Amino acid sequence: MATSYGEDSPLLGADLADQASIRSSSIHKVSTEEEDGPSSPPEFGNLEDDVLPEDTVLGRNIKWKDAFIIAISRVIGSGIFVVPGVILTSVGSIGLTLLLWVLGAVIVACGLAVSLEYGCMLPRSGGDKVYLEFTYPRPRFFASTMIAVQAVLLGFTASNCIIFSQYVHFVFDVETRDISKKALAVALLTIITIIHGVWYRAGIRIQNFLGWVKIGLVIFMLFAALYVVIFRPNPEGAENNRPMRLQSWEGIWEGSDWNLGTLATSLFKVFYSYAGLSNLNNVMNEVKNPARTLRSVSLTALVSACFLYLLANLAYFAVVPIEEIKRSGQLVSALFFERTFGPNVGKIILPLAVALSAAGNVMVVTFSVSRLNQEIARAGFLPFSRYLSSSKPFNTPMGGLIVHYIPSVLVIVLPPSSEVYSFILEVEGYPGQIFALATSIGIIWLRYKRPDLKRPFKAWIPAVIFRIVLCFCLLAAPFFPPSHPKPGGLFYATYAIVGVGILVFGALYWLVWTVILPRLGGYRLEEKQDVLDDGTAITVLTRVPKPVHITDVTGKESQYTLDKNGFQYHHHVAQEKDFVDDDHIKAVYYPETEQLLKDVTGASKIFIFDHTIRRQPSDQRASKDRGVALRGPVNRVHIDQTYAASLSRVPHHLPAEEAAELLKGRVQIINVWRPISTVQRDPLAIADAHSVGEDDLVPVALIYPTRKGETFAVRHSDRHRWYYKKGLTPQEVLLIKCFDSKTDGRARRVPHTAFVDPRTGDDVPARESIEVRALVFHPNDRD
């Protein structure tokens, strides 16, 4: 019977079976340096050629003062106004609190030295993404994937949005319902995202203004504290609630909690407070004189931040009673202003300034993280990378802003408000220590491995080693139970578990995306350079079929047989030559094919159930003309039937009684494949049956009008051995065993596919072939 889109044409499954592109049997010519010519200039994402700074379509608009605000404004946010109270509540004493701030500054200085060496050596936007990719190119894409997951899932700005909301509620004495606090925090983030996404220069000006406001506010706080200490005013309502006076050295350490887990969580909060010092590393493509500016700005910001933090802590302790600070949580600076200036100015105007300070922090974090997200998208590690990389329509990183906005909103909305701030600080800080460890080890490794690199700044190696040791301690510390666990709160190591979980998710995502799926699909991921309409250079990760060796059996055809290998070449001259009339094919070609199969296999009964003629350049089953019986080569590795589908063919085509009797003996399905003209394009390849394991076979359902069928798709494996014959002629047939009921070690089935020979020219005519599939019966072979 002729092949048509009738009873034997699948309604569902045809596209999967015949239109998927071939992966594992493409031949690829290996290019050489002589063929490709000299190496091209440095491209986006290529750091090996040189450490030249890379420009962006946004231009270099960030001057020294802008860069300083980007760093210091990120530092002076909730850290200076909120974290001191949170840390004192955790560790219990003034002495231990101040010690942690000093120790944190030393550790941050060590980390800043690492960032400075990397940033001056590789002055490109992206920060840790660029540094880890350069240092750890193997396993391929692993560092990039981990940074992408961390940036998307943990690169949020939720904490300062929450602080802004809390202080606004405090100023206006509004009932602090959970929904109102979260709504105001989301509103702030939304407005800032719109500003940075629509008005690039206006966003920079606003964040610069807010940055200088918060610096002025901190200086004002210091003078206010001196005023209180010297003149000891008594604001209304504060007579009976004076700050505690410390009479001895032992007094400042009273109540200290030296538990390792408590110290670790407190240090994570200190690190968060200093996090903005490396903020500039994320936007280096937009900085004028990037290496020189990074050095001077980072060091200036570090000294300024350390000085301001210590003085701010002393100011709080001098004005606000210790027990009141512990009860205040995140509102310590609001209490400071209220006790210093009374309930009017102190409770309204100055806390409102703190809220604006938090808003400024949100602005600079959004500004820098959106650039990091854009760099990740440019490298091809986010879905819809072409859109997220673009600077259209307002010449801003709108895609990076959107990627930053979504997780930030989720983190604001989902956790309970009572614990969300501390939880955010801790969960951000823990994975950060892993990346800090990786970059610190990387600096030492590059000193040894790449001494040739230009290093405008060099970190002090003992400081780097100290940071490495401390990173290990901080990673282990959260799993030590606290001395005084908070009743009804989160599990003490929740933030560490969540942080590790995110990193494990990143590792699994990398494993599936870059290892498992390419192995199953028979392809590899390759980076391809592209340029968007707005001039943005991006990297597109494309799926490239793995090169597979296919052996030409010409001259050795007799070595391959149906039972040993699953295929066999046979010389046979057919009476039918044209293959254009189905009735003539069935009347003339079917009988001679039946006799051929009997002669080759020794079978006593043959039933041909269909044939397919292929004359199209490619398979066109999906065309609107469902009556077209002429198809093209199938560039997909497959086996025509599964074991169950093969046996079901017998009762489907033959009377029930005869089928039942024939099924007691040996049953085969053999595809007789013949060129109509000499094959010059899309030759047919077959895999040795014994090189393809059962685990490599994947059943694919085919839904017919009156029944269901199945074919085998085939997973790629390096174990597969592929063969073909070049220039197969119409006087030769290829017998392909699709099924054999024998399970005694003989070949039972053989995968096959057409493949594209890269040596074939464009002017070579399309392949013409006919394949006849037949049930082959050996009723007497019943053992």
Side-chain angles (χ1 to χ4, degrees), residues 128 132 143 146-151 154 430-440 467 471 503:
D128 285 349
L132 292 175
M146 298 301 291
I147 287 290
V149 169
Q150 191 266 351
L154 294 178
Y430 192 83
Q433 289 305 304
I434 296 178
F435 291 111
L437 179 64
T439 53
S440 299
R467 190 194 192 203
C471 284
L503 295 178

Coordinates of all heavy atoms in Angstrom, one line a residue, residues 128 132 143 146-151 154 430-440 467 471 503:
D128 N 32.0 40.5 40.4 CA 32.4 39.1 40.6 C 32.1 38.2 39.4 O 32.8 37.2 39.2 CB 31.6 38.6 41.8 CG 32.2 39.1 43.1 OD1 33.3 39.7 43.1 OD2 31.6 38.9 44.2
L132 N 35.2 35.9 38.4 CA 35.1 34.4 38.6 C 35.1 33.7 37.2 O 35.7 32.6 37.1 CB 33.8 34.0 39.3 CG 33.8 34.5 40.8 CD1 32.4 34.1 41.4 CD2 34.9 33.8 41.6
A143 N 30.9 29.0 36.7 CA 31.0 30.3 37.5 C 29.9 31.3 37.0 O 29.3 31.9 37.8 CB 32.4 30.9 37.3
M146 N 26.5 30.2 38.4 CA 26.3 30.5 39.8 C 26.1 32.0 40.1 O 25.3 32.4 40.9 CB 27.5 29.9 40.6 CG 27.7 28.4 40.4 SD 26.3 27.5 41.0 CE 26.4 27.8 42.8
I147 N 26.9 32.8 39.4 CA 26.8 34.3 39.6 C 25.4 34.7 39.1 O 24.7 35.5 39.7 CB 27.9 35.0 38.8 CG1 29.2 34.8 39.6 CG2 27.5 36.5 38.7 CD1 29.3 35.6 40.9
A148 N 24.9 34.2 38.0 CA 23.6 34.5 37.4 C 22.5 34.2 38.4 O 21.6 35.0 38.7 CB 23.4 33.8 36.1
V149 N 22.6 33.0 39.0 CA 21.6 32.5 39.9 C 21.6 33.4 41.2 O 20.6 33.8 41.7 CB 21.8 31.0 40.3 CG1 20.9 30.6 41.5 CG2 21.4 30.2 39.1
Q150 N 22.8 33.7 41.7 CA 22.9 34.5 42.9 C 22.5 35.9 42.6 O 21.8 36.5 43.5 CB 24.4 34.5 43.3 CG 24.6 35.1 44.7 CD 25.0 36.6 44.7 OE1 25.2 37.1 43.6 NE2 25.0 37.2 45.8
A151 N 22.8 36.5 41.5 CA 22.4 37.8 41.2 C 20.9 38.0 41.0 O 20.3 38.9 41.5 CB 23.1 38.3 39.9
L154 N 19.2 36.6 44.7 CA 19.7 37.3 45.9 C 20.1 38.7 45.6 O 20.4 39.4 46.6 CB 20.9 36.5 46.5 CG 20.6 35.1 47.1 CD1 21.8 34.5 47.6 CD2 19.5 35.2 48.1
Y430 N 25.4 35.2 53.5 CA 26.0 33.8 53.5 C 26.5 33.4 52.2 O 27.7 33.0 52.1 CB 24.9 32.8 54.1 CG 25.6 31.5 54.4 CD1 26.2 31.3 55.6 CD2 25.6 30.4 53.5 CE1 26.8 30.1 56.0 CE2 26.2 29.2 53.8 CZ 26.8 29.1 55.1 OH 27.4 27.9 55.4
P431 N 25.7 33.4 51.1 CA 26.3 33.0 49.8 C 27.4 33.9 49.4 O 28.3 33.5 48.7 CB 25.1 33.1 48.8 CG 23.9 33.0 49.7 CD 24.3 33.7 50.9
G432 N 27.3 35.2 49.8 CA 28.4 36.1 49.5 C 29.7 35.7 50.0 O 30.8 36.0 49.4
Q433 N 29.7 35.0 51.2 CA 31.0 34.5 51.7 C 31.6 33.4 50.8 O 32.8 33.3 50.7 CB 30.8 34.0 53.1 CG 30.5 35.1 54.2 CD 31.6 36.1 54.2 OE1 32.8 35.8 54.3 NE2 31.2 37.4 54.0
I434 N 30.8 32.7 50.2 CA 31.3 31.6 49.3 C 32.0 32.3 48.1 O 33.0 31.9 47.6 CB 30.2 30.7 48.8 CG1 29.6 29.9 50.1 CG2 30.6 29.7 47.8 CD1 28.5 29.0 49.8
F435 N 31.3 33.3 47.5 CA 31.9 34.0 46.4 C 33.2 34.8 46.8 O 34.2 34.9 46.1 CB 30.9 35.0 45.7 CG 29.8 34.2 45.0 CD1 28.5 34.3 45.5 CD2 30.1 33.5 43.9 CE1 27.5 33.6 44.9 CE2 29.1 32.8 43.2 CZ 27.8 32.9 43.7
A436 N 33.1 35.3 48.1 CA 34.3 36.0 48.6 C 35.5 35.0 48.7 O 36.6 35.3 48.4 CB 34.0 36.6 50.0
L437 N 35.2 33.8 49.2 CA 36.2 32.8 49.3 C 36.8 32.4 47.9 O 38.0 32.3 47.7 CB 35.6 31.5 49.9 CG 36.5 30.3 50.1 CD1 37.7 30.7 51.1 CD2 35.7 29.1 50.6
A438 N 35.9 32.3 46.9 CA 36.3 32.0 45.6 C 37.2 33.0 45.0 O 38.3 32.7 44.3 CB 35.1 31.7 44.7
T439 N 36.8 34.3 45.1 CA 37.7 35.4 44.6 C 39.0 35.5 45.3 O 40.0 35.8 44.7 CB 36.9 36.7 44.6 OG1 36.4 37.0 45.9 CG2 35.7 36.7 43.7
S440 N 39.0 35.3 46.6 CA 40.2 35.4 47.4 C 41.2 34.3 47.0 O 42.4 34.6 46.7 CB 39.9 35.3 48.9 OG 39.1 36.3 49.3
R467 N 41.5 36.7 55.0 CA 40.1 36.7 54.5 C 39.7 35.2 54.2 O 38.5 34.9 54.5 CB 40.0 37.6 53.3 CG 38.5 37.8 52.9 CD 38.4 38.4 51.5 NE 37.1 38.9 51.2 CZ 36.6 39.0 50.0 NH1 37.4 38.7 49.0 NH2 35.4 39.4 49.8
C471 N 36.6 33.4 56.0 CA 35.4 32.9 55.2 C 35.0 31.5 55.6 O 33.8 31.2 55.8 CB 35.7 33.0 53.7 SG 35.7 34.6 53.0
L503 N 22.5 28.1 46.2 CA 23.7 27.7 45.5 C 23.6 26.3 44.9 O 24.1 26.0 43.8 CB 24.9 27.9 46.4 CG 25.2 29.3 46.9 CD1 26.4 29.3 47.8 CD2 25.5 30.2 45.7

